[in-house]
Amino acid sequence: AVVSTQSTGEKLEYLPAIVSFVKHCGEDILGVMSSKNRELQEEYGVKLPLMKFLGKEKQQIFADLVREYCATVIISLIRMHGRLLKILKQNKKTLYMKGEVSAEKIEIAE
């Protein structure tokens, strides 16, 4: 897969590009519709034309890549949250024991 765990790591560097891609090309490439467009179609009873230049199989390939990336993002965010909670707990313990937390530890937590 083009977008895999090894290429993204913990940095989540492709997230803005993936979100923009799904937002702007999701209907045509992935076969998904934004909730805003769906609500507008239901409200006005109008069917928006879709460009059908990819078959279902190719749409499925793109959808699987996006799902894989989303799973990677979720795992990365859970790990980052766990590390943050650990750092905050250590800082709280240090504050309780020493009465202060070093600027370096505060910067790491931010």
Side-chain angles (χ1 to χ4, degrees):
V2 175
V3 184
S4 67
T5 306
Q6 288 93 11
S7 67
T8 58
E10 297 291 316
K11 296 180 184 176
L12 309 174
E13 59 194 22
Y14 301 117
L15 186 58
I18 297 292
V19 169
S20 179
F21 174 78
V22 171
K23 181 179 179 181
H24 296 291
C25 304
E27 291 181 47
D28 300 324
I29 306 254
L30 300 172
V32 296
M33 182 181 295
S34 71
S35 56
K36 182 179 178 181
N37 284 349
R38 187 177 56 249
E39 289 169 3
L40 289 172
Q41 282 186 11
E42 290 171 1
E43 183 178 339
Y44 294 106
V46 177
K47 189 78 171 165
L48 296 175
L50 296 176
M51 295 187 333
K52 300 254 181 180
F53 59 91
L54 288 180
K56 289 287 184 188
E57 291 177 6
K58 292 194 179 189
Q59 280 184 344
Q60 189 62 43
I61 291 170
F62 281 105
D64 290 343
L65 287 173
V66 171
R67 279 190 200 96
E68 179 185 337
Y69 185 75
C70 288
T72 301
V73 167
I74 290 168
I75 290 168
S76 295
L77 290 174
I78 289 171
R79 287 180 183 157
M80 289 168 59
H81 183 259
R83 285 194 300 266
L84 176 62
L85 290 178
K86 186 177 177 181
I87 290 169
L88 291 174
K89 184 177 178 180
Q90 290 171 346
N91 286 354
K92 187 175 181 181
K93 184 177 178 181
T94 302
L95 181 62
Y96 178 73
M97 300 295 280
K98 296 183 179 181
E100 66 180 1
V101 178
S102 69
E104 179 181 313
K105 289 187 178 186
I106 292 173
E107 185 177 313
I108 291 171
E110 291 177 349

